Amino acid sequence: MGTSEQRSVGAVTPQKAGFLEPLILKAGKTLAAYELVYETYGTLNADRSNAILVCHALSGGHHVAGHYVDDPKKIGWWDNMIGPGKAIDTDRFFVIGVNNLGGCHGSTGPTSIDRATGQPYGAGFPLVTVEDWVASQARLMDRLGIEKLAGVIGGSLGGMQALQWTITYPERIRHAFVIAAAPKLSTQNIAFNDVARQAIVQDPDFHGGNFYAHGKVPARGLKLARMLGHITYLSEDLLGEKFGRETKGEGYAFNYDVEFEIESYLRYQGDKFAQVFDANTYLIMTKALDYFDPAKESGGDLAKALAPAKAGFFVASFSSDWRFPAARSREIVRALVAGKKRVTYAEIDAPHGHDAFLLDDVHYHKIVAAYADNVAAEIGLGSRAGALVIGGTELEEMKGYGGKEGGGE
Amino acid sequence: MGTSEQRSVGAVTPQKAGFLEPLILKAGKTLAAYELVYETYGTLNADRSNAILVCHALSGGHHVAGHYVDDPKKIGWWDNMIGPGKAIDTDRFFVIGVNNLGGCHGSTGPTSIDRATGQPYGAGFPLVTVEDWVASQARLMDRLGIEKLAGVIGGSLGGMQALQWTITYPERIRHAFVIAAAPKLSTQNIAFNDVARQAIVQDPDFHGGNFYAHGKVPARGLKLARMLGHITYLSEDLLGEKFGRETKGEGYAFNYDVEFEIESYLRYQGDKFAQVFDANTYLIMTKALDYFDPAKESGGDLAKALAPAKAGFFVASFSSDWRFPAARSREIVRALVAGKKRVTYAEIDAPHGHDAFLLDDVHYHKIVAAYADNVAAEIGLGSRAGALVIGGTELEEMKGYGGKEGGGE
């Protein structure tokens, strides 16, 4: 822990790109027009080879690093990873954060006005998939004049997008950073998602997804979904260490008010989330997770599904992640090794659970930095002007660490 | 698997016992009068030494074995464990099943009429604890003329009651069968319980717990609670094997209707449960789980808490149980060993997860049978008339197996 004292990309401004060419979705429906909101950090080099796209997970967005001038406390969700001198070094890379279609942070989604009706899409917004997101992201890369990405990086659902990029656009991606992901959801993963969705759709304030028109928000359902999700993002050990069985009072209260500290924490997180997140987006994101299964069309053969890929792969998992355990990352690694792809695998010892991919962990960031350094060398960015400083430790001592940590299975 | 072909205790009839002596609860409140519904199987011997009390878990009740004449399909929840020639052999033991206070199967609980108001207790029914249940069960034993139980057996929350018996009434219990239990809930356990409770109390049909008066049932909340609970009762591997990623249709539906088989299963289980179970009872049971912590008063020292116990202990856990993993049972065993108690520990390899304690598993039942046979010998029931037949295998070959499987840590 401890990169927070490092430099930030500073104040950033979101941008919007409008697309008028219809996007045909996997669901069979078509988005006639749409907008994507995005941010960029660093500078695109002359040969446009140093771009890294960051894909977000369930509740993330385009605000990946830095802060807003009018809201300096609104720090990007991966600010500890991305910035000058950080693991993904914006002094060398041009980094792009984008909000996915169906999201609620500014890209076209359920809360957007459907030009056909003049009303918010609401329940009418089509279900979108990881493939659809990747297709829409590729168009944004076209718009930015980026033919080939140096890398696509993401954790969890974001890692799935990085993986999908290597299949859909093998010529347009040099390296995929697939972190805390899985090649497809397990039955248990789907089960948890369905409980979350049922909590939302059964909330009387959901109104079949058109709650905007009723001036309501299905806050109860969204809160429950977030509380449940939160449990699965953290390891049992971490929950135990952070909250234990601590209660508000000395003895037991013998009522149903908030009593254990963990209840207080979860309900607070749930309430906070329900105030800012869109319920339809939550449904869309969880369905995209459920549907992701690149090997489905090749009869479950992931190596076959990944056959078109030409990228180098950085795959990382966290020891205490029980949502997408290390075994799920190893499935990806196994398939890549079977297909003779270039792959570096890091199984990172971290206590936090699934959320570890978002957290400020020196060891983790050094491993990513080492891999990113190799990517930089490959595209001819030359050696770094000065050694990277991560958590106060010179990167030099870490040379080749990424390779040492894994490299296959 | 395979004790189902064995004999059953046959048709059984629930009985009721009324208690007029007030019961002072841990919550500080008093139940002025209450009834307990129970069933018995087998025959109490002349010296009243062969009684085994069965304690139920969250949703169970007094109907442990056999069936009802007017409802022959309503088989007791532990019929595979308890019956003539079964692991808990009703040819030798007098077995008692009881519904706990606060339950909804016939004992005094939230759905009962409060004599003080002439209305159902509803939200007014006090929170009850494992200690309260054990105290009420002891009074039932008094009523039945049983001074000392040959054993108390239970799984999960039932196992916690067996453990509590050894502390509260060390002179009244010879052996405790503590199966798939834990010495206290983990933070994660409490977190899941709180999501379930929030689902119920936030359901608009809950009406602060007095939904009876409104002619409503908080079915949505109860369904969510059960769906969530169900996920935690089964192992991830079992879910994967049973349901995988199977969908109703060939391709994806791209809507929010029931789609994956696991969704169909969970929603069905949730709906079924919501029709028959009482929401207030669900709240009470989960709170009793959260509150159980016998070591709390001895500063977390479980060995100290168990110091009064004189019983022999049979502790069992299941390899795939992630609700109360084997490590939790080992905590109990460690404390018992530290206190120089007699303990047999079985860590049973079973794929089903927490629900394994309820399921028909030959290996598991043989281990329980072997221990129960030693209990029978200790109270002078002599050797069995014929060898027990469990899953078609003579018990003889299993002699001493319980000891071999564990015996400490």
Side-chain angles (χ1 to χ4, degrees):
Chain A
M1 306 275 159
T3 68
S4 52
E5 72 284 358
Q6 289 170 238
R7 289 180 295 158
S8 158
V9 298
V12 296
T13 309
Q15 301 171 68
K16 272 202 177 178
F19 298 85
L20 295 170
E21 190 192 344
L23 185 70
I24 300 170
L25 304 171
K26 274 278 166 184
K29 296 184 179 173
T30 300
L31 270 182
Y34 60 93
E35 287 184 322
L36 292 178
V37 61
Y38 66 99
E39 291 178 8
T40 68
Y41 324 108
T43 308
L44 188 60
N45 61 3
D47 60 0
R48 299 173 175 273
S49 66
N50 69 333
I52 292 183
L53 172 68
V54 181
C55 300
H56 68 76
L58 203 154
S59 61
H62 55 288
H63 186 37
V64 176
H67 64 269
Y68 295 142
V69 171
D70 59 354
D71 193 357
K73 286 189 176 167
K74 200 173 170 79
I75 308 289
W77 57 267
W78 225 353
D79 190 73
N80 58 35
M81 175 73 90
I82 291 155
K86 294 185 180 175
I88 302 294
D89 183 5
T90 50
D91 285 341
R92 317 179 87 200
F93 292 108
F94 176 66
V95 178
I96 306 140
V98 61
N99 184 216
N100 282 335
L101 287 173
C104 56
H105 295 300
S107 291
T108 302
T111 58
S112 307
I113 300 298
D114 180 358
R115 293 181 195 184
T117 65
Q119 298 293 319
Y121 280 99
F125 196 86
L127 285 184
V128 285
T129 64
V130 168
E131 290 115 304
D132 297 329
W133 287 334
V134 167
S136 68
Q137 289 159 2
R139 287 191 183 175
L140 179 62
M141 295 311 109
D142 293 342
R143 185 69 55 88
L144 297 174
I146 297 160
E147 176 54 31
K148 187 165 194 166
L149 284 156
V152 179
I153 185 169
S156 194
L157 179 54
M160 293 171 172
Q161 294 162 59
L163 198 62
Q164 187 63 48
W165 259 94
T166 71
I167 300 171
T168 311
Y169 301 110
E171 308 292 348
R172 301 193 65 174
I173 169 173
R174 284 185 187 276
H175 291 275
F177 295 69
V178 182
I179 302 172
K184 63 186 175 196
L185 292 205
S186 73
T187 315
Q188 189 191 71
N189 293 150
I190 297 172
F192 278 126
N193 277 349
D194 195 49
V195 175
R197 281 192 296 264
Q198 289 295 301
I200 291 169
V201 304
Q202 288 191 17
D203 186 327
D205 290 333
F206 182 64
H207 293 287
N210 295 314
F211 49 89
Y212 319 102
H214 293 78
K216 298 274 187 183
V217 170
R220 285 170 296 220
L222 208 44
K223 175 184 179 179
L224 288 171
R226 185 59 166 184
M227 288 174 72
L228 175 54
H230 220 88
I231 300 173
T232 69
Y233 302 153
L234 301 175
S235 72
E236 176 152 29
D237 284 350
L238 185 79
L239 281 180
E241 277 164 37
K242 271 181 93 164
F243 305 104
R245 293 177 51 88
E246 292 303 310
T247 50
K248 294 231 168 259
E250 189 69 22
Y252 292 141
F254 294 108
N255 61 44
Y256 299 122
D257 295 342
V258 61
E259 177 163 17
F260 289 92
E261 290 296 340
I262 180 63
E263 298 174 328
S264 174
Y265 173 76
L266 285 179
R267 294 187 201 180
Y268 173 78
Q269 294 291 339
D271 283 330
K272 202 173 65 170
F273 186 75
Q275 283 166 26
V276 298
F277 207 79
D278 178 67
N280 284 311
T281 290
Y282 201 90
L283 298 177
I284 288 169
M285 294 287 161
T286 57
K287 268 298 201 182
L289 274 162
D290 289 3
Y291 285 155
F292 182 69
D293 184 6
K296 186 177 165 73
E297 282 172 29
S298 49
D301 185 342
L302 185 60
K304 197 171 165 190
L306 285 163
K310 296 183 173 179
F313 288 84
F314 171 78
V315 181
S317 65
F318 299 92
S319 55
S320 58
D321 185 350
W322 65 278
R323 186 178 177 88
F324 295 152
R328 309 307 313 280
S329 282
R330 280 186 236 122
E331 289 176 39
I332 298 171
V333 170
R334 235 185 330 260
L336 290 169
V337 169
K340 302 197 190 310
K341 309 294 181 190
R342 289 170 291 150
V343 54
T344 291
Y345 176 52
E347 203 164 302
I348 299 164
D349 192 32
H352 321 91
H354 186 61
D355 264 1
F357 86 87
L358 292 167
L359 300 178
D360 197 3
D361 182 281
V362 172
H363 179 60
Y364 160 45
H365 284 176
K366 280 182 179 174
I367 293 170
V368 174
Y371 192 91
D373 201 39
N374 289 338
V375 174
E378 184 182 313
I379 56 176
L381 300 184
S383 69
R384 292 175 202 250
L388 279 188
V389 178
I390 292 184
T393 309
E394 300 291 308
L395 185 69
E396 301 312 310
E397 68 180 61
M398 296 295 301
K399 279 287 187 216
Y401 196 93
K404 229 166 62 182
E405 183 87 355
E409 211 220 340
Chain B
M1 307 276 159
T3 69
S4 52
E5 73 282 0
Q6 289 170 236
R7 290 179 297 157
S8 158
V9 297
V12 296
T13 309
Q15 300 171 66
K16 273 202 174 176
F19 299 85
L20 295 171
E21 192 192 342
L23 185 70
I24 300 170
L25 304 171
K26 274 278 167 183
K29 297 185 178 172
T30 300
L31 271 182
Y34 60 94
E35 286 184 322
L36 292 178
V37 60
Y38 66 100
E39 292 178 9
T40 68
Y41 324 108
T43 308
L44 189 61
N45 61 4
D47 60 359
R48 301 174 173 272
S49 66
N50 69 334
I52 292 183
L53 172 68
V54 181
C55 301
H56 68 77
L58 202 155
S59 61
H62 56 288
H63 185 36
V64 177
H67 65 269
Y68 295 142
V69 171
D70 59 353
D71 193 357
K73 287 189 177 167
K74 201 174 169 78
I75 309 290
W77 58 267
W78 224 353
D79 190 75
N80 58 34
M81 176 73 89
I82 291 154
K86 294 184 180 176
I88 302 295
D89 184 6
T90 51
D91 286 343
R92 317 179 89 200
F93 291 108
F94 177 66
V95 178
I96 306 139
V98 61
N99 183 216
N100 282 335
L101 287 172
C104 56
H105 295 300
S107 291
T108 302
T111 59
S112 307
I113 300 298
D114 179 358
R115 292 181 195 185
T117 65
Q119 300 293 319
Y121 281 98
F125 196 86
L127 286 184
V128 285
T129 64
V130 168
E131 290 116 303
D132 297 327
W133 287 335
V134 167
S136 68
Q137 290 159 2
R139 288 190 183 174
L140 179 62
M141 296 310 108
D142 293 342
R143 185 70 54 87
L144 297 174
I146 296 160
E147 175 54 32
K148 186 166 194 166
L149 284 156
V152 179
I153 185 169
S156 193
L157 179 55
M160 292 170 173
Q161 293 161 61
L163 198 62
Q164 187 63 47
W165 260 94
T166 72
I167 299 170
T168 312
Y169 301 109
E171 308 292 346
R172 300 194 67 175
I173 170 173
R174 283 186 187 276
H175 291 275
F177 295 70
V178 182
I179 302 174
K184 62 186 175 196
L185 292 204
S186 72
T187 315
Q188 190 191 70
N189 293 149
I190 295 172
F192 278 126
N193 277 349
D194 195 49
V195 175
R197 280 192 297 265
Q198 288 296 302
I200 291 170
V201 303
Q202 289 192 17
D203 186 327
D205 290 334
F206 182 64
H207 293 288
N210 295 313
F211 49 90
Y212 319 103
H214 294 78
K216 297 275 188 184
V217 170
R220 284 170 298 219
L222 209 43
K223 175 184 179 178
L224 288 171
R226 184 60 165 183
M227 287 175 71
L228 175 54
H230 220 89
I231 299 173
T232 69
Y233 302 152
L234 301 175
S235 71
E236 176 152 29
D237 285 351
L238 185 79
L239 281 181
E241 277 163 39
K242 272 181 92 164
F243 304 104
R245 293 177 50 89
E246 292 301 310
T247 50
K248 293 235 168 257
E250 189 69 21
Y252 291 141
F254 294 108
N255 62 43
Y256 299 121
D257 294 342
V258 60
E259 177 164 16
F260 289 91
E261 290 295 340
I262 181 62
E263 297 174 328
S264 174
Y265 173 76
L266 285 180
R267 294 188 200 178
Y268 173 79
Q269 294 291 339
D271 283 330
K272 202 173 69 171
F273 186 75
Q275 283 166 26
V276 299
F277 207 80
D278 178 67
N280 284 312
T281 290
Y282 201 91
L283 298 177
I284 288 168
M285 295 286 161
T286 57
K287 267 298 202 185
L289 273 162
D290 289 4
Y291 285 155
F292 181 70
D293 183 6
K296 186 177 165 74
E297 281 172 28
S298 50
D301 185 341
L302 185 60
K304 196 171 167 192
L306 284 163
K310 296 182 173 179
F313 288 84
F314 170 78
V315 181
S317 64
F318 299 92
S319 56
S320 58
D321 185 350
W322 65 277
R323 186 179 176 86
F324 295 151
R328 309 308 312 280
S329 283
R330 278 185 238 124
E331 289 175 39
I332 298 170
V333 171
R334 235 186 328 259
L336 291 169
V337 169
K340 302 198 191 308
K341 309 295 178 188
R342 290 170 291 151
V343 54
T344 292
Y345 175 52
E347 203 164 303
I348 298 163
D349 192 32
H352 320 92
H354 186 61
D355 264 2
F357 87 86
L358 292 166
L359 300 178
D360 198 1
D361 182 283
V362 172
H363 180 60
Y364 161 43
H365 285 175
K366 280 181 178 173
I367 294 169
V368 174
Y371 191 90
D373 201 39
N374 290 338
V375 174
E378 184 182 314
I379 56 176
L381 299 184
S383 69
R384 291 173 203 250
L388 280 190
V389 178
I390 291 183
T393 310
E394 300 291 307
L395 183 70
E396 302 311 309
E397 69 180 61
M398 296 294 301
K399 281 286 187 214
Y401 197 93
K404 231 168 58 184
E405 184 87 357
E409 213 222 339

